[in-house]
Amino acid sequence: MNKHKLKALILTVGAIFMAFLMINVTSQAASMDMVDVSNNNGYMSTAEYVSMRNEFGVKAVTVKISEGGTYKDPNAASNIANVQAAGMYINGYHFARYATKAQAIAEADFAGKTAKAAGLPVGAVLATDVESQEANNQSKATNDRNNAAFMSEIQKFGYRSDIYTSGSWANNKMTIKSRTGWIASYPYVVSGKNWYSTNHAWQWSSTAKFRISYGGFDVSQLNSNYYTADQKSTIKPTNKGAVKANNKEANKNTSKPYTAAKWVKESKTYTLKTAVKLHTGASTSSSVITILPAGTTVNTDKAIIKSGYRWVRQPRFNGYGYLATGPASNTLEYVKIGETHTYYTVKYDDSWWLIAQRNGLSMTTLASQNGKTIYTTIYPGQRLVVR
């Protein structure tokens, strides 16, 4: 073999090896396939969705449609229209408040009618978002029955159904079968993770940033075509280099937790802002000793980051109790060391997004420090901690 042929062979083999290497590196990074939005994100323009599609490779958007039996998301119609104008797949979700089968059916009827009025196309997914206190108070069997009733009813409107819930609730609070489900669970280091790969989707962050959009967003990796099926789009990202760069940046570990699975000393006195379950171990699946009411003072001696939560240990006369102070991805806590707070009284037309923006906070931080999620409905006259 002459030197020119040998050089060509070496270059060809090298190129194949690098392509193989890049494919494997890319496959280990969580993808920003789907974003979910609500009025808490404010008005979202077509240009913002185009940026998500072209620069970040977002394929689908799932918009909030409704909550409970009366709340209609005011931005649902504009979100649906602008996502479609951007050439992206569109789906919807309903934040569930049902506690009985009858309530589940009634909420499904309300969600279906609201989705139709907002312009959600037939064939889209209309998922039930099950993470409320109402569901938390039910048995697994009751939640399974209620979810089945909701999904059966929603199909009558021509929509496909699914369940969204947290990783700690999946198959504990309710059954999520393989090849179904949209599961939320946020690791510190995303690269190399491929959680819930047998489910339709894995929501791996609630704080993703997009170049021309304000605030943090929930992003999910799609592990099937369920959330893009029955809707056709030929539009491809126009800047593949930007997609790779942004996915690489999004997969970085941007927070510094306590050493995973290692207890550290933390002698603090907490005053609970909201009722908190005291467990026999640092796990949401461990037995509950008691429910500590708001205002309770708790002395702790150690802390740990474990299974998606930040836990503290309370010495007791007959051993220890354990309570979660908040999600591990959040440096703020559901419970606070005794301090003076600044409160804001919710006004008509306020939203998590508006209040957070006025006070220099992210929506997730604002909701978490009030013991809620950004999907919790807020009402005029309600007081929220902003400092």
Side-chain angles (χ1 to χ4, degrees):
M1 185 180 294
N2 64 43
K3 285 193 283 187
H4 293 294
K5 289 185 177 180
L6 178 60
K7 183 177 180 180
L9 177 60
I10 291 172
L11 289 173
T12 301
V13 172
I16 294 171
F17 175 77
M18 289 304 296
F20 174 81
L21 180 62
M22 289 305 296
I23 289 169
N24 278 275
V25 168
T26 303
S27 68
Q28 292 186 29
S31 300
M32 303 172 83
D33 295 325
M34 184 167 71
V35 174
D36 55 283
V37 299
S38 71
N39 68 297
N40 289 316
N41 297 105
Y43 175 80
M44 296 287 295
S45 66
T46 298
E48 289 179 273
Y49 290 124
V50 169
S51 172
M52 289 180 177
R53 181 199 71 199
N54 287 355
E55 299 176 35
F56 297 82
V58 175
K59 302 174 182 176
V61 178
T62 300
V63 307
K64 184 174 183 178
I65 299 295
S66 51
E67 179 173 340
T70 58
Y71 179 80
K72 301 178 181 180
D73 192 292
N75 286 357
S78 63
N79 276 326
I80 290 169
N82 292 342
V83 169
Q84 289 178 306
M88 301 164 75
Y89 303 116
I90 183 70
N91 301 291
Y93 73 91
H94 168 81
F95 190 92
R97 293 288 183 182
Y98 48 74
T100 67
K101 181 178 179 180
Q103 290 172 348
I105 293 172
E107 286 192 24
D109 287 335
F110 173 67
K113 292 174 183 176
T114 303
K116 289 279 189 182
L120 188 69
V122 170
V125 176
L126 182 47
T128 178
D129 179 346
V130 189
E131 55 176 316
S132 69
Q133 190 60 39
E134 289 87 346
N136 189 37
N137 291 331
Q138 305 302 316
S139 68
K140 181 178 179 182
T142 299
N143 281 331
D144 285 348
R145 179 199 65 194
N146 295 344
N147 292 342
F150 180 96
M151 292 192 292
S152 176
E153 190 71 12
I154 211 68
Q155 291 171 12
K156 295 179 181 179
F157 293 86
Y159 297 123
R160 293 175 294 129
S161 58
D162 201 15
I163 302 173
Y164 168 93
T165 195
S166 68
S168 61
W169 281 30
N171 297 314
N172 290 314
K173 291 288 184 181
M174 66 202 73
T175 301
I176 305 293
K177 296 179 180 179
S178 179
R179 297 184 179 84
T180 71
W182 172 19
I183 312 300
S185 189
Y186 312 142
Y188 270 110
V189 181
V190 182
S191 293
K193 304 292 192 303
N194 189 23
W195 294 358
Y196 304 104
S197 59
T198 62
N199 299 107
H200 288 318
W202 166 39
Q203 186 185 95
W204 52 270
S205 177
S206 63
T207 57
K209 306 293 183 183
F210 294 99
R211 184 176 63 83
I212 65 172
S213 300
Y214 173 82
F217 290 82
D218 296 336
V219 292
S220 300
Q221 174 172 289
L222 298 179
N223 296 319
S224 75
N225 69 350
Y226 192 70
Y227 281 83
T228 57
D230 299 337
Q231 302 170 69
K232 304 300 181 183
S233 173
T234 58
I235 296 175
K236 303 293 184 182
T238 57
N239 190 340
K240 294 182 179 180
V243 171
K244 290 181 180 179
N246 286 322
N247 274 338
K248 182 178 179 181
E249 181 67 23
N251 277 267
K252 282 185 177 180
N253 176 19
T254 57
S255 53
K256 299 293 183 183
Y258 292 101
T259 303
K262 181 179 179 181
W263 287 96
V264 296
K265 291 183 179 180
E266 184 191 78
S267 297
K268 290 186 179 180
T269 299
Y270 290 92
T271 300
L272 304 188
K273 287 172 42 186
T274 184
V276 176
K277 291 179 180 179
L278 187 69
H279 289 264
T280 57
S283 169
T284 54
S285 61
S286 64
S287 299
V288 176
I289 299 172
T290 186
I291 297 179
L292 303 173
T296 302
T297 298
V298 178
N299 295 313
T300 67
D301 67 345
K302 288 188 176 183
I304 193 173
I305 298 292
K306 185 179 179 184
S307 301
Y309 291 90
R310 182 180 184 278
W311 294 86
V312 293
R313 188 175 78 170
Q314 178 200 33
R316 295 169 62 84
F317 69 92
N318 60 345
Y320 296 97
Y322 302 83
L323 62 151
T325 64
S329 58
N330 191 347
T331 56
L332 295 174
E333 303 155 351
Y334 287 139
V335 295
K336 292 285 186 183
I337 301 171
E339 58 187 34
T340 302
H341 295 294
T342 300
Y343 291 88
Y344 174 82
T345 301
V346 179
K347 298 178 177 61
Y348 184 75
D349 280 341
D350 270 342
S351 67
W352 285 116
W353 181 80
L354 285 172
I355 298 170
Q357 187 179 46
R358 290 185 194 126
N359 292 277
L361 302 169
S362 70
M363 289 189 298
T364 304
T365 295
L366 176 62
S368 294
Q369 68 188 26
N370 283 278
K372 304 179 186 300
T373 75
I374 63 172
Y375 302 114
T376 305
T377 303
I378 53 178
Y379 302 95
Q382 186 175 350
R383 295 179 75 214
L384 298 177
V385 175
V386 294
R387 290 284 186 279

